[in-house]
Amino acid sequence: MLYLTEKEQNIQHILTFNVTSGERVFYLDKPQYSIGRDPNNSLFVNAKGISRQHVTLIKKYTDNSHFSYIIIDGSLEGHKSKNGVLVNGEKIDQYELKHGDIIYFTRYVKAHYYIVEQTNREFASKSSPDLLSNSTVSYLSSLSKETQISQSAKQASTLVEIKNLASVVELSPIPIVEINYQGSITYFNPSANLKFPDLQKKQLKHPLLQGLINQKDYNNGSLVIREFDLVDQSFEQHIHYLAKEQLIRSYVFDITQRKKAENELKYRAFHDGLTGLPNRVFFDQHISLISKKSERHQKLFAILFFDIDSFKSINDTLGHNIGDKILQYFAQRLTSQIRKSDFVCRWGGDEFVVLLSEIENPEQAGKFSQRLLQTFEHPLQIEEHEIYLKCSIGISIYPHDGTEVEVLLKNADVALYRTKESGRNNYQFYNPEMGLEIRQNFTLENQLNQAIKNEELILYYQPQINTKTGRIYGLEALIRWKNPELGFIKPNKFIPIAEKTGLIVPIGEWVLETACQQNKKWQQMGLTPVKISVNLSTQQLQQPNLIEIVKNTLERVGLEPQWLELEVTESMLMKNISLANKTLQKLRGMGVYISMDDFGTGYSCINHLPKFPFTTLKVAQDCVQNLTENPETSAIVSATVALGNSLDLRVIAEGVENQKQLDILQKLDCLEIQGYLLSHPLNSDQATEFLTVYQEQNIFC
């Protein structure tokens, strides 16, 4: 290191401002200064026309022998001042200041730059030696010792120790690199050397410098921003093209953390947070490419919709934490079964979609589905729970089931719906008939919403008769729908739709109200009272206010509870045995009769019967239909009659259609029947006439 002579150590750089408020003097000795009207600037100049950061001064060291100050218009980040800056009357972007230069910030605000010798010997002895440039020596040579500085300047603090100071370029944590138009590196600061140790070795082959020379025709002061990656780091490079000096200067910012954050946000935008699978947004982009490729090369692909069976029950029973683990396991299982060319995504909830690309035939999708279903035959162990996982699958094939992505997705979903309707834990291919049925159901659903309001629903009544005495026990209320466009619609068509949409609740309440009103009307006509049977739905039985609804209906109509019988099925009870028992007990306590419908099918949990307040058992229609064909059914009916007698329950066989069935039932001591053999369901007028005739014959029970 070259040490300065005592004379050379006493050099001072001074900037004097001429503003409307007077003259201001600044001693320059730090690596960097920002000048502007923002109070946070190094040199605060509050005057009209001055930008928030008007100029930047940088202390420049060259070839390790001298220094000077560079003035730059605006900030290092490339933000120019509003009105620009002139030196000696010439507008500049950057300029190396010389003794005596005049800097114009506005028409009324200017500054003079001086390089002077400090004659204070006491100060000189305290100064620390450092490097000075040859240009600085030449400045001193041209500097008159008679140069006068304002009195305020003479009273200001003297130079601080120079030893611990260096230029902003040298101390900057931002790597700064400069090359000339020939591609030679003219400067790089310590940060650049630390961050890019192989820069000098690779020269223009280094990613930081690649391509810079090709753009040297940029206008003077042009700023170009680009990004580049180096190993596992990312950088943003601000490139200044200085045509006048034929230099290209780069400021390099490490944006690795920012890029990681951006990549994380991008990943989250295209992937499911729980399973890590691609989401619907990613799927939409991917299938668009596959569709175009398949069309171009005339290849098949399959879309498979997956739905985990009874997943809601798992969540409700075992909790969402277990449910989440099941979803993760299911995602892993799907991923393990597909090829590299295939695609799997989480569609939402417990639904997943698999895209099998470039398949040879539709059967390939079927084999995949079968193989996947077989993998779930063994139980899944999660914590202390052993879970048998099952799923339903719907499949559509391009281009057989559609050429548009939306159509293929819709058709796969339709096939999935049919699979779930058909018993679940299986797969089905889409066919056009499914779509027709879905559209029909959609139409029915819309029309069903208006059916009650438009008084399109009608109740029919089917008598229940004791064949030994010929007396009527009661009538069952059966709902019918007479649509003005479609005519009579069978209950097995619209009841499932009502249950699916929740319309079954208001429909059920309408049936209860209408049946009670009709029964009360018959009583008011003087007909002997009979019980009216009304079927409850699963959703009605689970309603917390069912008891209140029944009670209010009976009171509003004025019908005594003993003339109402509510029918429930075994499957309804099994949904929630405790709740069902509690509800039925309260209803029976009100005086309402309770009937077990369709007994002999489904669960047939005989051990539960004594716990419920049943008054009647109804032998299922399927059992009655098989009496003449299957002798074993007779044993079931006989056992049912015996069970009913032992529990003091009435037993009624429903669906009796011919004399042979009636003869067998009578031999089995099942004497009360209901069915077409004795009477079809009757509308209110027909039922009134039927009851009137029986009253005249005096054969009511």
Side-chain angles (χ1 to χ4, degrees), residues 159-425:
L159 283 172
V160 298
E161 295 185 358
I162 300 176
K163 180 178 181 180
N164 295 323
L165 297 176
S167 73
V168 67
V169 178
E170 290 291 306
L171 292 180
S172 174
I174 301 172
I176 302 174
V177 179
E178 190 177 83
I179 64 173
N180 58 28
Y181 277 17
Q182 289 71 45
S184 299
I185 299 175
T186 58
Y187 174 79
F188 59 92
N189 69 350
S191 292
N193 187 42
L194 183 64
K195 183 69 72 173
F196 312 110
D198 56 347
L199 183 62
Q200 282 188 299
K201 180 179 179 181
K202 292 186 176 181
Q203 296 284 327
L204 293 180
K205 293 182 180 180
H206 195 281
L208 191 155
L209 302 180
Q210 284 180 355
L212 295 187
I213 298 300
N214 300 335
Q215 308 297 334
K216 65 183 180 181
D217 293 332
Y218 277 106
N219 294 329
N220 187 49
S222 294
L223 173 65
V224 178
I225 299 177
R226 71 177 185 179
E227 295 180 5
F228 68 91
D229 294 323
L230 191 62
V231 191
D232 58 348
Q233 292 181 299
S234 299
F235 299 92
E236 184 176 89
Q237 184 177 3
H238 291 216
I239 309 163
H240 295 266
Y241 286 87
L242 310 173
K244 189 177 296 184
E245 295 83 356
Q246 293 197 331
L247 294 174
I248 304 172
R249 183 175 299 134
S250 295
Y251 300 87
V252 186
F253 302 89
D254 191 333
I255 59 171
T256 304
Q257 295 304 317
R258 190 186 84 191
K259 295 298 288 187
K260 284 183 178 179
E262 290 175 356
N263 291 336
E264 178 67 21
L265 289 174
K266 184 177 180 181
Y267 179 86
R268 291 181 181 179
F270 290 94
H271 290 80
D272 172 56
L274 178 64
T275 63
L277 291 178
N279 59 16
R280 292 177 66 167
V281 177
F282 199 160
F283 176 86
D284 289 341
Q285 294 185 359
H286 184 76
I287 196 172
S288 178
L289 299 174
I290 294 298
S291 179
K292 292 176 182 177
K293 183 178 178 181
S294 298
E295 180 182 7
R296 186 166 56 252
H297 298 290
Q298 297 184 338
K299 295 287 186 179
L300 305 180
F301 69 82
I303 293 179
L304 291 79
F305 252 111
F306 290 79
D307 184 275
I308 301 176
D309 294 339
S310 304
F311 183 72
K312 185 178 185 303
S313 297
I314 295 173
N315 258 345
D316 293 343
T317 305
L318 303 180
H320 289 276
N321 288 337
I322 298 296
D324 287 348
K325 291 181 180 180
I326 288 175
L327 291 172
Q328 291 170 336
Y329 170 82
F330 192 84
Q332 293 169 2
R333 182 55 54 91
L334 281 178
T335 305
S336 69
Q337 296 297 314
I338 63 173
R339 304 166 299 175
K340 289 184 178 180
S341 59
D342 299 330
F343 187 88
V344 57
C345 90
R346 185 184 179 193
W347 197 250
D350 62 335
E351 289 186 330
F352 296 79
V353 174
V354 168
L355 176 62
L356 300 179
S357 60
E358 297 188 11
I359 58 174
E360 298 297 328
N361 50 62
E363 289 73 24
Q364 192 172 338
K367 290 179 180 178
F368 171 84
S369 300
Q370 188 61 46
R371 185 171 68 249
L372 186 72
L373 290 171
Q374 290 174 352
T375 64
F376 295 118
E377 291 179 353
H378 301 289
L380 172 64
Q381 190 71 36
I382 298 181
E383 297 180 1
E384 71 275 12
H385 306 288
E386 190 175 72
I387 303 169
Y388 283 88
L389 206 56
K390 302 181 185 302
C391 69
S392 300
I393 309 170
I395 307 171
S396 65
I397 306 294
Y398 170 91
H400 305 333
D401 301 323
T403 56
E404 298 295 328
V405 172
E406 285 300 319
V407 174
L408 289 166
L409 288 169
K410 177 177 69 69
N411 291 341
D413 197 25
V414 168
L416 171 64
Y417 178 78
R418 176 57 63 87
T419 303
K420 294 165 73 173
E421 273 193 334
S422 303
R424 303 172 181 265
N425 195 37

Side-chain angles (χ1 to χ4, degrees), residues 389-524:
L389 206 56
K390 302 181 185 302
C391 69
S392 300
I393 309 170
I395 307 171
S396 65
I397 306 294
Y398 170 91
H400 305 333
D401 301 323
T403 56
E404 298 295 328
V405 172
E406 285 300 319
V407 174
L408 289 166
L409 288 169
K410 177 177 69 69
N411 291 341
D413 197 25
V414 168
L416 171 64
Y417 178 78
R418 176 57 63 87
T419 303
K420 294 165 73 173
E421 273 193 334
S422 303
R424 303 172 181 265
N425 195 37
N426 207 335
Y427 67 91
Q428 287 203 30
F429 287 90
Y430 171 80
N431 67 63
E433 292 181 1
M434 294 179 181
L436 177 62
E437 184 177 347
I438 291 294
R439 288 191 293 273
Q440 289 176 345
N441 288 342
F442 180 74
T443 301
L444 287 178
E445 181 180 328
N446 287 335
Q447 294 178 338
L448 189 57
N449 277 286
Q450 300 298 322
I452 302 177
K453 186 183 300 183
N454 297 338
E455 298 183 351
E456 298 172 14
L457 298 180
I458 307 170
L459 284 189
Y460 276 63
Y461 304 91
Q462 189 171 39
Q464 299 166 341
I465 301 174
N466 188 305
T467 58
K468 186 175 182 179
T469 64
R471 294 178 177 178
I472 298 176
Y473 168 74
L475 297 95
E476 180 180 359
L478 302 170
I479 190 170
R480 299 291 185 266
W481 178 16
K482 188 177 182 180
N483 184 278
E485 298 177 4
L486 304 174
F488 275 100
I489 301 173
K490 295 180 179 180
N492 62 355
K493 272 286 186 182
F494 70 85
I495 292 298
I497 296 175
E499 290 176 337
K500 177 185 175 183
T501 59
L503 288 172
I504 195 66
V505 173
I507 289 176
E509 292 177 5
W510 177 86
V511 171
L512 177 65
E513 178 102 13
T514 305
C516 289
Q517 286 176 345
Q518 183 62 61
N519 201 9
K520 182 63 177 179
K521 184 178 179 180
W522 287 328
Q523 292 180 11
Q524 291 172 341

